[in-house]
Amino acid sequence: MQSNEWSIAALNALLLSIITVVVSLIQVVFEPGTIISILLWLVKFVGCLGLLYYFVKEYSKQRESFTYKEGFSYGFKICLLSSVVLAAFNFLQYAVLFPESMQTAMEQVIMAMQSSNPDAADAMERYQSKLPQLVSVVTLFYYTIFGLIASAIIANYTKKGDIFTNNSI
């Protein structure tokens, strides 16, 4: 049962990752304006939360009772695996597919910092070659923490069963 849960969570994580990957590709390839970027972020945010809720709710249908702990655990597994996929995608995006987008952003940051803090601008130039790796690590932590919070909230709405049933917590 445990490996089956992880395999279902892995498939759901891949499906959940597709939303973020598509939005990210749209933003890099088409470079939309501010309003469109905000709308894309909103679609990504609502879409990811809605899809995570749907996955946990569907998983809970297999059981007669479904505790908060089970919902949180399953939701976090999905989010953790999705975070790994998205961190790998970000590395691929900034190191292989679109390195010029990272280069352009870094040049703008360095030019802005030159006048106010030249030492920080020099430090940014030194770390520029390792930026795809750093972005991937930050992405992994960011989406994992976000998934932890989202799973904690969603698990409360997916639990079911009789409160007098002796469920292990």
Side-chain angles (χ1 to χ4, degrees):
M1 181 68 179
Q2 191 71 358
S3 65
N4 187 29
E5 182 176 343
W6 276 98
S7 64
I8 295 170
L11 177 64
N12 290 341
L14 285 174
L15 295 173
L16 184 63
S17 300
I18 288 173
I19 294 172
T20 303
V21 168
V22 167
V23 168
S24 181
L25 287 174
I26 289 171
Q27 289 177 330
V28 171
V29 172
F30 297 113
E31 297 177 5
T34 305
I35 300 296
I36 301 294
S37 293
I38 291 171
L39 288 174
L40 284 171
W41 178 85
L42 190 61
V43 165
K44 179 177 80 167
F45 183 76
V46 171
C48 287
L49 288 178
L51 198 56
L52 181 62
Y53 174 78
Y54 173 77
F55 289 147
V56 175
K57 194 71 168 172
E58 282 297 309
Y59 187 74
S60 73
K61 287 182 180 178
Q62 302 171 4
R63 301 164 184 231
E64 191 171 310
S65 72
F66 192 70
T67 64
Y68 176 86
K69 178 183 174 185
E70 292 169 326
F72 175 76
S73 173
Y74 184 68
F76 184 68
K77 287 175 187 174
I78 293 171
C79 292
L80 180 65
L81 295 171
S82 179
S83 298
V84 171
V85 170
L86 292 172
F89 170 74
N90 270 350
F91 177 76
L92 186 67
Q93 178 182 7
Y94 293 123
V96 179
L97 298 176
F98 306 108
E100 66 277 354
S101 67
M102 181 67 75
Q103 181 72 24
T104 304
M106 285 305 298
E107 288 173 2
Q108 290 174 351
V109 168
I110 290 170
M111 284 180 19
M113 293 177 81
Q114 283 291 350
S115 61
S116 64
N117 193 350
D119 293 334
D122 292 338
M124 291 293 281
E125 287 179 19
R126 283 192 304 253
Y127 291 111
Q128 190 169 0
S129 64
K130 297 188 185 325
L131 214 51
Q133 293 91 333
L134 293 172
V135 167
S136 297
V137 170
V138 169
T139 298
L140 178 68
F141 284 116
Y142 172 76
Y143 284 127
T144 301
I145 298 299
F146 181 78
L148 181 76
I149 295 167
S151 297
I153 294 168
I154 288 172
N156 194 46
Y157 294 103
T158 57
K159 63 184 180 182
K160 65 179 182 177
D162 187 5
I163 62 171
F164 300 109
T165 310
N166 188 10
N167 291 333
S168 61
I169 296 176

